[in-house]
Short mmCIF file of all heavy atoms in Angstrom, two decimals:
data_model
loop_
_atom_site.label_atom_id
_atom_site.label_comp_id
_atom_site.label_asym_id
_atom_site.label_seq_id
_atom_site.Cartn_x
_atom_site.Cartn_y
_atom_site.Cartn_z
N GLN S 97 -69.40 115.19 6.34
CA GLN S 97 -67.98 115.38 6.59
C GLN S 97 -67.48 116.68 6.06
O GLN S 97 -67.65 116.94 4.89
CB GLN S 97 -67.19 114.14 5.98
CG GLN S 97 -67.51 112.82 6.62
CD GLN S 97 -67.07 112.76 8.06
OE1 GLN S 97 -66.14 113.58 8.49
NE2 GLN S 97 -67.62 111.87 8.89
N PRO S 98 -66.76 117.46 6.90
CA PRO S 98 -66.30 118.74 6.37
C PRO S 98 -65.00 118.55 5.59
O PRO S 98 -64.44 117.48 5.53
CB PRO S 98 -66.01 119.48 7.63
CG PRO S 98 -65.66 118.43 8.66
CD PRO S 98 -66.44 117.22 8.29
N ILE S 99 -64.61 119.69 4.99
CA ILE S 99 -63.45 119.74 4.16
C ILE S 99 -62.22 119.12 4.80
O ILE S 99 -62.06 119.15 6.04
CB ILE S 99 -63.16 121.19 3.76
CG1 ILE S 99 -62.29 121.34 2.58
CG2 ILE S 99 -62.61 121.97 4.93
CD1 ILE S 99 -62.29 122.72 1.98
N GLY S 143 -63.88 110.05 -1.23
CA GLY S 143 -64.91 110.32 -2.22
C GLY S 143 -66.20 109.82 -1.67
O GLY S 143 -66.75 110.33 -0.72
N ARG S 256 -61.99 127.77 0.22
CA ARG S 256 -62.38 126.76 -0.80
C ARG S 256 -62.44 127.31 -2.21
O ARG S 256 -62.13 126.56 -3.15
CB ARG S 256 -63.70 126.04 -0.39
CG ARG S 256 -64.92 126.83 -0.42
CD ARG S 256 -65.99 126.14 0.35
NE ARG S 256 -66.65 125.01 -0.43
CZ ARG S 256 -67.44 124.14 0.16
NH1 ARG S 256 -67.68 124.18 1.44
NH2 ARG S 256 -67.99 123.21 -0.58
N GLU S 283 -66.77 125.35 -7.57
CA GLU S 283 -66.55 123.94 -7.31
C GLU S 283 -65.92 123.38 -8.60
O GLU S 283 -65.78 124.05 -9.57
CB GLU S 283 -67.90 123.23 -7.02
CG GLU S 283 -67.79 121.81 -6.49
CD GLU S 283 -66.84 121.64 -5.29
OE1 GLU S 283 -65.65 121.46 -5.54
OE2 GLU S 283 -67.30 121.71 -4.14
N LEU S 301 -63.51 116.40 -6.03
CA LEU S 301 -64.13 117.70 -6.03
C LEU S 301 -63.17 118.59 -5.23
O LEU S 301 -63.42 118.90 -4.03
CB LEU S 301 -65.54 117.68 -5.40
CG LEU S 301 -66.59 116.88 -6.25
CD1 LEU S 301 -66.69 115.45 -5.76
CD2 LEU S 301 -67.90 117.63 -6.21
N GLN S 303 -62.30 121.58 -4.75
CA GLN S 303 -62.55 122.79 -4.01
C GLN S 303 -63.35 122.46 -2.75
O GLN S 303 -63.01 122.92 -1.63
CB GLN S 303 -63.26 123.82 -4.88
CG GLN S 303 -62.31 124.41 -5.91
CD GLN S 303 -62.96 125.46 -6.72
OE1 GLN S 303 -63.53 125.17 -7.79
NE2 GLN S 303 -62.90 126.71 -6.33
N GLY S 304 -64.42 121.70 -2.89
CA GLY S 304 -65.20 121.35 -1.69
C GLY S 304 -64.48 120.34 -0.80
O GLY S 304 -64.77 120.31 0.40
N GLU S 305 -63.58 119.55 -1.32
CA GLU S 305 -62.97 118.49 -0.55
C GLU S 305 -61.68 118.95 0.11
O GLU S 305 -61.33 118.52 1.20
CB GLU S 305 -62.69 117.27 -1.40
CG GLU S 305 -64.06 116.58 -1.77
CD GLU S 305 -63.87 115.40 -2.73
OE1 GLU S 305 -62.84 115.28 -3.39
OE2 GLU S 305 -64.84 114.59 -2.82
N ARG S 544 -73.00 113.03 -7.34
CA ARG S 544 -72.25 113.87 -6.42
C ARG S 544 -71.90 115.25 -6.95
O ARG S 544 -71.80 116.20 -6.19
CB ARG S 544 -71.00 113.15 -5.92
CG ARG S 544 -71.23 111.90 -5.15
CD ARG S 544 -69.94 111.44 -4.53
NE ARG S 544 -69.47 112.29 -3.50
CZ ARG S 544 -68.17 112.58 -3.27
NH1 ARG S 544 -67.19 112.12 -4.02
NH2 ARG S 544 -67.85 113.44 -2.27
N TRP S 563 -72.02 126.91 -3.03
CA TRP S 563 -71.20 125.75 -3.40
C TRP S 563 -72.08 124.68 -4.01
O TRP S 563 -72.81 124.01 -3.27
CB TRP S 563 -70.37 125.26 -2.18
CG TRP S 563 -69.66 126.44 -1.56
CD1 TRP S 563 -68.76 127.26 -2.21
CD2 TRP S 563 -69.72 126.85 -0.21
NE1 TRP S 563 -68.34 128.25 -1.33
CE2 TRP S 563 -68.89 128.02 -0.06
CE3 TRP S 563 -70.38 126.42 0.92
CZ2 TRP S 563 -68.74 128.70 1.13
CZ3 TRP S 563 -70.25 127.04 2.13
CH2 TRP S 563 -69.41 128.21 2.25
N ALA S 565 -72.01 121.67 -5.12
CA ALA S 565 -72.06 120.25 -4.73
C ALA S 565 -72.35 120.08 -3.25
O ALA S 565 -72.21 119.05 -2.70
CB ALA S 565 -70.74 119.54 -5.07
N GLY S 566 -72.74 121.21 -2.65
CA GLY S 566 -73.09 121.17 -1.23
C GLY S 566 -72.04 121.81 -0.36
O GLY S 566 -70.95 122.09 -0.75
N ARG S 567 -72.44 122.14 0.89
CA ARG S 567 -71.58 122.75 1.82
C ARG S 567 -70.46 121.88 2.33
O ARG S 567 -69.30 122.25 2.37
CB ARG S 567 -72.43 123.25 3.02
CG ARG S 567 -71.62 123.85 4.18
CD ARG S 567 -72.56 124.50 5.17
NE ARG S 567 -71.88 124.78 6.46
CZ ARG S 567 -71.08 125.81 6.65
NH1 ARG S 567 -70.89 126.77 5.71
NH2 ARG S 567 -70.47 125.99 7.83
N HIS S 568 -70.83 120.65 2.66
CA HIS S 568 -69.84 119.69 3.14
C HIS S 568 -69.76 118.54 2.10
O HIS S 568 -70.73 117.77 1.98
CB HIS S 568 -70.24 119.13 4.52
CG HIS S 568 -70.31 120.15 5.53
ND1 HIS S 568 -69.24 120.96 5.88
CD2 HIS S 568 -71.34 120.64 6.30
CE1 HIS S 568 -69.60 121.81 6.85
NE2 HIS S 568 -70.86 121.63 7.13
N VAL S 569 -68.67 118.53 1.41
CA VAL S 569 -68.64 117.64 0.18
C VAL S 569 -68.01 116.28 0.41
O VAL S 569 -68.52 115.27 -0.17
CB VAL S 569 -67.86 118.39 -0.93
CG1 VAL S 569 -67.77 117.52 -2.19
CG2 VAL S 569 -68.58 119.69 -1.23
N PRO S 570 -66.96 116.15 1.23
CA PRO S 570 -66.37 114.81 1.38
C PRO S 570 -67.41 113.77 1.78
O PRO S 570 -68.24 114.01 2.65
CB PRO S 570 -65.29 114.94 2.39
CG PRO S 570 -64.89 116.39 2.29
CD PRO S 570 -66.16 117.12 1.96
N GLN S 571 -67.41 112.63 1.07
CA GLN S 571 -68.25 111.49 1.44
C GLN S 571 -69.78 111.72 1.21
O GLN S 571 -70.59 110.92 1.78
CB GLN S 571 -67.95 111.04 2.90
CG GLN S 571 -66.52 110.46 2.97
CD GLN S 571 -66.15 110.05 4.40
OE1 GLN S 571 -65.38 110.75 5.08
NE2 GLN S 571 -66.74 108.97 4.84
N THR S 572 -70.13 112.70 0.48
CA THR S 572 -71.54 112.77 0.13
C THR S 572 -71.84 111.61 -0.83
O THR S 572 -70.99 111.23 -1.60
CB THR S 572 -71.87 114.09 -0.63
OG1 THR S 572 -70.97 114.28 -1.71
CG2 THR S 572 -71.83 115.27 0.25
#
Side-chain angles (χ1 to χ4, degrees):
Chain S
Q97 292 296 338
I99 198 165
R256 69 196 280 168
E283 193 51 273
L301 290 95
Q303 289 183 269
E305 291 175 342
R544 295 189 69 217
W563 308 306
R567 175 172 164 82
H568 298 300
V569 178
Q571 294 177 252
T572 51

